[in-house]
Amino acid sequence: MRIFYAHIDGDGLESISLIDKAHFAGKFILDEILKEYKEIPTSVSFITRPIEKYGNKYYKPSLELAREILELPNCE
């Protein structure tokens, strides 16, 4: 029996999406993939240095987004 799981690399979490040029790309991953495919176990990585180093108002939303992703039952 095979086990299926996915991994999402977090390099572009705080990049501005090319889809609407207004939201973080990670927001689209959260809403359109992770929340839609809850039956797929997914590991997600984050680059924490920019969030830690620049704890200003620009990076605060990416920290909140990372927390929201990790609260999902299918993500670790």
Side-chain angles (χ1 to χ4, degrees):
M1 185 172 171
R2 277 186 190 247
I3 297 174
F4 179 80
Y5 65 92
H7 172 76
I8 297 174
D9 193 43
D11 287 10
L13 178 75
E14 66 276 340
S15 297
I16 299 300
S17 170
L18 296 176
I19 295 171
D20 71 356
K21 297 181 177 44
H23 295 94
F24 286 134
K27 181 70 174 154
F28 284 97
I29 296 295
L30 172 65
D31 293 341
E32 306 217 4
I33 296 174
L34 298 173
K35 286 184 177 178
E36 291 295 319
Y37 299 96
K38 291 183 179 179
E39 68 279 0
I40 299 175
T42 306
S43 62
V44 182
S45 66
F46 303 102
I47 306 300
T48 58
R49 185 65 181 152
I51 296 169
E52 178 184 309
K53 183 178 178 186
Y54 305 106
N56 61 32
K57 65 183 178 183
Y58 178 77
Y59 286 96
K60 186 176 180 188
S62 65
L63 177 60
E64 293 169 357
L65 179 58
R67 286 181 175 156
E68 191 175 349
I69 289 171
L70 291 175
E71 287 176 356
L72 294 174
N74 58 319
C75 294
E76 61 176 47

